[in-house]
Amino acid sequence: MTRLANLPGFLLFLLAAASLHASPIVREPGAIYLSDFGDKTLRVNMTQAAKSYFDMGMTRYAGTLRYPQQVQVVAVADTGCRVRGNAQQGGVVAWVSFDDLSGLPKDFLATMKKAEERRLMVEALIAKKEVAIGMTSDEVRRSLGKPAKTTKRANKEGLEELWEYVKYDLIPQTTYTPGVTQTVIPPNKPGQPANVVTQTVMIGNTIYVKVPVGTLKVAFKDNLVDSLDQTEGTLVGAGQVSIVTPPLNVYW
């Protein structure tokens, strides 16, 4: 504690900033975060020096963002955008109004809402280890894992990739082998030896064997699931094939 007290104020500021940067993002309910849709960044221009806020309700003042500058859009909500930029007090990640930004993609908020709706639908399918037409190959791999077999074939519409999955069930199999048990019978009178009764019994041993019960073939076109072909032992839910919209580009 004494060592920290002797540090110059500037060094203490750097330590605090580094600690803040290393902490995980605190997500606000109702906000849609661009990091959920890839590693790209979206940078836009400030239209003016503008007040920014720590919360999307615009109640806790964070600082005034400088103008002119470009800021990185981190998240979006009905009230505005959460951006990373430079304020008069230093770097901040805070909420600003849509009116304070220029260069946002057309219909940005509506597109982000549709993208978030799709993302939640896909995440629900992945949690149940199911797939749907319109999912990407990465999403299928996250849901079902690595395919047992992959093939590629060309047709008049282009190149098609086929992934094959096999579903297994664990079937119990019990085998019996002879064994011996011994029962000790106490003597009737003190000093007499105990009686030992030996019996031959059958001892069961159960093991579980992986047995294939169904297959699923996932056909991709342009990296999106185009069709599903499955046998009994379904891998995509109770015989019902779901359809999701293809991923939306939220950056333009």
Side-chain angles (χ1 to χ4, degrees), residues 27-234:
R27 292 177 172 242
E28 294 183 68
I32 305 172
Y33 290 81
L34 270 71
S35 59
D36 290 330
F37 305 98
D39 298 328
K40 293 182 180 179
T41 58
L42 174 62
R43 303 189 67 85
V44 297
N45 296 312
M46 297 293 300
T47 60
Q48 59 186 348
K51 291 182 178 180
S52 64
Y53 300 86
F54 287 116
D55 62 309
M56 72 171 68
M58 311 285 190
T59 61
R60 294 187 293 122
Y61 177 68
T64 299
L65 288 170
R66 296 179 180 274
Y67 172 82
Q69 71 164 312
Q70 275 198 333
V71 294
Q72 179 186 342
V73 179
V74 177
V76 64
D78 289 331
T79 53
C81 289
R82 182 175 172 88
V83 301
R84 188 188 306 275
N86 294 316
Q88 295 175 357
Q89 300 86 345
V92 296
V93 180
W95 291 90
V96 295
S97 169
F98 289 112
D99 294 336
D100 298 323
L101 304 172
S102 68
L104 287 171
K106 184 180 179 182
D107 300 324
F108 181 59
L109 179 59
T111 301
M112 288 297 297
K113 286 184 175 181
K114 291 179 181 178
E116 177 70 355
E117 182 180 355
R118 179 195 182 275
R119 185 186 73 84
L120 294 176
M121 183 181 298
V122 169
E123 290 300 323
L125 289 168
I126 291 175
K128 296 185 292 184
K129 297 189 180 301
E130 296 181 7
V131 295
I133 293 173
M135 289 174 65
T136 66
S137 59
D138 179 64
E139 291 165 346
V140 172
R141 192 181 294 272
R142 285 176 56 205
S143 181
L144 300 181
K146 184 179 179 180
K149 180 182 177 182
T150 60
T151 56
K152 293 182 179 180
R153 62 189 183 192
N155 55 37
K156 62 181 181 180
E157 297 179 357
L159 186 66
E160 181 182 68
E161 188 168 1
L162 197 65
W163 290 9
E164 184 172 331
Y165 289 90
V166 180
K167 182 181 179 181
Y168 295 91
D169 272 353
L170 293 176
I171 306 300
Q173 291 187 356
T174 303
T175 58
Y176 294 90
T177 57
V180 175
T181 63
Q182 291 184 333
T183 304
V184 178
I185 302 175
N188 294 326
K189 296 180 180 181
Q192 291 182 343
N195 293 324
V196 179
V197 178
T198 302
Q199 291 180 314
T200 301
V201 297
M202 300 301 292
I203 300 174
N205 180 40
T206 301
I207 61 174
Y208 288 85
V209 180
K210 286 177 62 176
V211 177
V213 294
T215 60
L216 172 68
K217 294 181 180 180
V218 185
F220 293 92
K221 287 184 180 178
D222 298 326
N223 199 43
L224 296 176
V225 177
D226 181 67
S227 65
L228 299 169
D229 182 14
Q230 60 183 332
T231 62
E232 293 185 7
T234 175

